[in-house]
Each structure stands twice: as structure tokens, then as C-alpha cells.
Amino acid sequence: MTVAAGGSIRRWSAEDGVRRVLVITAHPDDVDFGAAGTVAAFTEAGLEVTYCVVTDGEAGGSDRSVPRHEMAACRRDEQRDAAAAVGVHDLRFLGYPDGRVTAGLDLRRDLSRVIRQVRPERLVTQSPDRSWERIAASHPDHLAVGEAAVCAFYPDAGNPFAHPELLEVEGLEPHTVDELWLMAAGDGDLVVDTTATIGRKRAALLSHRSQIADPDWLAEMVTRWGAATAQAAGLPEGATAESFRVVSPRVG
């Protein structure tokens, strides 16, 4: 949610040539906290966006009377509703166990598979770095999914000899993504102006009804976060924004 201090902050432009984006997150609602305003800006600009959600979030919520398999189905439906609020209709759920994700070879392979299927130019995912300022942003699943997604971004998805079954059995040709955007990175170097889409971000978040105790507080909080990010990036008074750290796979 923060931008790098003292650095030059770039602003996203819809004219940058990217047309296809893949977003990888650990749980339903992660993308909506970290990037729903940006996703709405992407889809309004005509970009194709796909979500890949690694778990069903069945360990979420505080109601012990709800069976966990029912919570998983509920959270998938909530994420579909949230995605629709920002113009996303292609969702992939991997079904890993909530709270027990590790950045192992199976997850790296499964994320590489999705990258090769979708063939995005931009990959958006969670930061694999722990935030000591905001420990709640560093859920172990977030860190593990971020690490596995970075490994899939480089080198796995683009290497024909990594996870050879993807090519030899499934016929999925390697694909190198042009750029990686990390959400909730403490040293963001790019911002997306979400002033026109903050309402859609709030709508997406409020779709996660099973996880929300106080909808008014949540809506106010995300607006406040967006305003602080915009101010740090030098956007006009009243603006909101989301920040990312951008990484290229190119060497040298």
C-alpha cells in the first residue's frame, strides 16, 4: 500500500500496450484488498484479466457453526461476485488448503500451468516479503503464494525444461511474462490512479459478506488507504491510488 520514499513514482497508463493480465492470490478477497481498483481500471481500458486463486479460503470467517466445505463454496461464490464487480469473469481456483500453503514444486508447477494457459503480458501477485509494519498483510499463505508465483514468473513458466510434463504431456508451450507487479510491497515504484474506480473496489470488497463484520468501517478504511497512497505519489487532493513494485525478467 506504500510507495518508495524519495524515488520517482511512475503512473500507469492504459496506453502501455499490455492487453492481458493474470492476477495470482492466496485467498478470495486478497485481490480486492490489494488491487481491485487497478483491476477495474484495467477492464475499463479493455484489458483482459484472469484471476487465479490458490485456496478457497475455507479457514476464513469466525462462525464455527459453518462447515468448512460450505465456507469454501461460499467464498468461491463471493469471489465470483467480487470479480464481476470489477469486470473479471475468468477465474481459476486451485483448491489448495487454506492456511497450509507452501511454495513447493507442486504449486510452482500449477502456477506455471496457468501462466502458460493464459499467456499474460503482466502478472500481478502478492509480495513474498514479510511486512513488519503491517503483519496482517504477511499471512503465511500470502508469502508462500508470492514466492511460488515469482518462481513461476521466472524462470519456470518460460523454461521448457522446468516441469517438463507441462510441455511433454499437456502440450503447454513455455511463456515468458513481460512484467511482474507485486501488491502490498513496501517500496512500490508505480501507482495506478483509482479515483474513478474506488467505488467498484468497495463493491468488490463488500461482496465478501462472510468475512465482513462492519461494512461501513471497511469501506472507509480502503478509501483512507487509497488516499494516503495517492498523496504519497503526488496525486491531486481527493484522489485515490494503489501502488506496486514492478519487476522485469530481463537480464542485464
Side-chain angles (χ1 to χ4, degrees), residues 233-244:
L235 272 64
E237 183 74 21
T240 60
E242 292 170 344
S243 70
F244 304 86

Side-chain angles (χ1 to χ4, degrees), residues 57-75 78 210-211:
E58 70 275 9
S62 58
D63 187 347
R64 298 185 186 182
S65 69
V66 178
R68 290 300 94 184
H69 71 276
E70 291 184 9
M71 179 59 73
C74 173
R75 297 205 68 188
E78 289 175 344
S210 68
Q211 309 301 301

Side-chain angles (χ1 to χ4, degrees), residues 14-235:
E15 308 304 318
D16 64 4
V18 170
R19 308 313 301 165
R20 188 176 297 112
V21 179
L22 173 63
V23 182
I24 296 174
T25 59
H27 311 108
D29 81 14
D30 288 346
V31 61
D32 300 306
F33 276 104
T38 294
V39 171
F42 287 167
T43 60
E44 288 185 3
L47 279 65
E48 299 176 23
V49 180
T50 297
Y51 286 175
C52 175
V53 185
V54 171
T55 81
D56 293 334
E58 70 275 9
S62 58
D63 187 347
R64 298 185 186 182
S65 69
V66 178
R68 290 300 94 184
H69 71 276
E70 291 184 9
M71 179 59 73
C74 173
R75 297 205 68 188
R76 284 195 182 203
D77 287 342
E78 289 175 344
Q79 184 61 86
R80 292 186 185 99
D81 290 344
V86 293
V88 176
H89 304 284
D90 182 8
L91 291 83
R92 320 285 177 95
F93 295 95
L94 299 188
Y96 276 71
D98 185 7
R100 291 179 283 165
V101 181
T102 59
L105 289 175
D106 285 349
L107 181 56
R108 286 171 55 178
R109 179 204 61 222
D110 291 347
L111 296 180
S112 296
R113 175 186 292 110
V114 175
I115 291 172
R116 293 188 189 190
Q117 290 170 338
V118 176
R119 309 189 78 78
E121 297 139 299
R122 175 178 298 143
L123 173 63
V124 181
T125 194
Q126 292 160 299
S127 173
D129 298 323
R130 189 178 300 277
S131 170
W132 296 111
E133 291 75 25
R134 292 184 59 251
I135 195 67
S138 299
H139 187 291
D141 287 355
H142 296 182
L143 303 180
V145 168
E147 177 63 26
V150 171
C151 292
F153 168 73
Y154 180 82
D156 293 2
N159 181 356
F161 307 110
H163 316 295
E165 64 272 27
L166 296 180
L167 178 59
E168 296 171 5
V169 178
E170 301 179 36
L172 293 171
E173 289 289 338
H175 176 72
T176 298
V177 185
D178 294 335
E179 58 184 25
L180 172 72
W181 288 22
L182 296 175
M183 299 185 291
D187 49 359
D189 55 7
L190 179 142
V191 295
V192 177
D193 187 333
T194 61
T195 310
T197 59
I198 187 69
R200 297 179 72 183
K201 177 185 178 79
R202 288 192 292 261
L205 279 165
L206 293 175
S207 298
H208 299 282
R209 294 169 291 277
S210 68
Q211 309 301 301
I212 299 173
D214 187 340
D216 292 338
W217 174 84
L218 178 63
E220 189 277 332
M221 178 188 68
V222 298
T223 303
R224 187 172 67 248
W225 284 353
T229 300
Q231 182 180 26
L235 272 64

